[in-house]
Amino acid sequence: MSIRVKNLTKSFGEHRVLTGIDLEIQKGEVVCIIGASGSGKSTLLRCLNLLEQPSSGDIYIDDENLTDQSIQPEKIRKRLGMVFQHFNLFDNLNVLDNCTMAPKLIHKENKEVAEARALDLLKKVGLEAFSQQHVANLSGGQKQRVAIARALTMNPDYMLFDEPTSALDPEVVGDVLNVMRDLAQEGLTMVIVTHEMQFARHVADRVLFMDGGKILEQGTPEQIFEHPQQQRTKEFLRRVTTWTDAN
């Protein structure tokens, strides 16, 4: 099982955002995508589950080509969990209802089965006691952990994370990263767009550095962080490291 991307491009009008992306992600692999803002990281992630329609190229989830017009996006999205930067929860519902809505509507699970699974997952992310709380009353870190539990209720084959900590206060970032680290240790396939360099260094199997809509360099965390080959990668890491050390 794998995700395969072949010569993917994406343009918004005259603006080319992705150019010639080739990528393969194996089952059980944790891949972190790093790079400056505007490098195409989030657009690539959103193309993987067709939240953005590619301009050209092919995306395969196992043996299914997502760019085939006969493929129903909803069918593919059942297999791809997505966690967004700004949570995308229903603030008017409680935590449990947020987590059970999709399994009941899409998988047609009965209420008892959906709630039992949701409570197990909320326990995994440390929020079982908050199941009846309205989402609007939660902190940002708690909301993001609910969002992770909600995505997992669909039992996805792959999980996509789009800068899951960038909207959080620094003191709660660790809670979310710890949940993600646990998922990685359990063998869940994860593709993570992140600015958390230490997380990428210690948790990823492979790190991709994007610049100008291309994958400029990729390798193990040691290769990318300790021995980058491209000058642009070196410049990016130097700036990120300097800012991190200063703070």
Side-chain angles (χ1 to χ4, degrees):
M1 298 177 71
S2 65
I3 299 173
R4 290 178 293 137
V5 179
K6 295 185 176 180
N7 199 28
L8 180 71
T9 70
K10 175 63 182 178
S11 297
F12 294 98
E14 297 297 318
H15 180 50
R16 176 67 64 88
V17 179
L18 298 176
T19 302
I21 299 290
D22 291 304
L23 175 63
E24 185 163 356
I25 298 162
Q26 298 295 330
K27 184 70 173 175
E29 192 175 18
V30 177
V31 174
C32 285
I33 306 175
I34 65 172
S37 297
S39 59
K41 307 183 302 297
S42 293
T43 300
L44 171 58
L45 201 71
R46 292 172 66 85
C47 282
L48 294 182
N49 65 358
L50 300 183
L51 288 175
E52 297 290 354
Q53 189 67 38
S55 299
S56 64
D58 297 294
I59 302 171
Y60 293 88
I61 303 298
D62 302 331
D63 293 324
E64 291 190 280
N65 189 344
L66 272 62
T67 58
D68 187 325
Q69 295 301 311
S70 66
I71 293 291
Q72 297 180 341
E74 293 76 14
K75 176 183 176 183
I76 294 298
R77 290 188 190 123
K78 290 179 184 179
R79 303 180 57 198
L80 292 162
M82 182 83 175
V83 176
F84 298 88
Q85 178 178 342
H86 294 291
F87 324 129
N88 286 21
L89 298 172
F90 296 100
D91 282 351
N92 60 318
L93 299 179
N94 67 30
V95 168
L96 188 60
D97 287 342
N98 264 276
C99 291
T100 58
M101 178 181 293
K104 290 191 291 186
L105 290 177
I106 299 173
H107 285 328
K108 308 303 181 185
E109 290 182 2
N110 66 47
K111 183 174 184 287
E112 291 75 18
V113 171
E115 288 187 352
R117 175 161 172 75
L119 288 170
D120 282 343
L121 290 166
L122 288 169
K123 184 176 182 180
K124 180 191 287 285
V125 302
L127 291 174
E128 184 182 24
F130 291 79
S131 64
Q132 299 302 316
Q133 290 274 353
H134 269 68
V135 166
N137 297 327
L138 301 182
S139 69
Q142 290 169 332
K143 288 181 180 180
Q144 195 59 292
R145 284 185 282 155
V146 171
I148 293 172
R150 179 185 62 177
L152 292 171
T153 61
M154 297 297 287
N155 197 27
D157 295 318
Y158 307 96
M159 281 285 287
L160 311 178
F161 294 83
D162 188 9
E163 300 188 17
T165 60
S166 62
L168 303 180
D169 291 332
E171 64 266 25
V172 300
V173 166
D175 294 335
V176 174
L177 294 180
N178 285 337
V179 170
M180 294 170 63
R181 183 179 292 107
D182 290 344
L183 294 175
Q185 291 174 347
E186 292 172 10
L188 183 63
T189 310
M190 302 163 66
V191 186
I192 307 162
V193 171
T194 184
H195 291 293
E196 302 291 343
M197 296 299 125
Q198 290 303 314
F199 177 85
R201 183 191 293 264
H202 294 294
V203 177
D205 297 303
R206 184 156 44 111
V207 177
L208 312 182
F209 173 69
M210 289 190 65
D211 186 63
K214 299 179 181 180
I215 298 174
L216 197 63
E217 188 168 358
Q218 62 178 298
T220 66
E222 182 180 4
Q223 289 170 331
I224 296 301
F225 289 107
E226 303 297 335
H227 309 288
Q229 299 301 303
Q230 299 294 323
Q231 185 61 33
R232 181 68 186 95
T233 313
K234 295 175 184 178
E235 292 172 357
F236 171 79
L237 291 174
R238 187 182 305 117
R239 290 174 181 172
V240 171
T241 301
T242 300
W243 187 91
T244 303
D245 291 344
N247 288 269

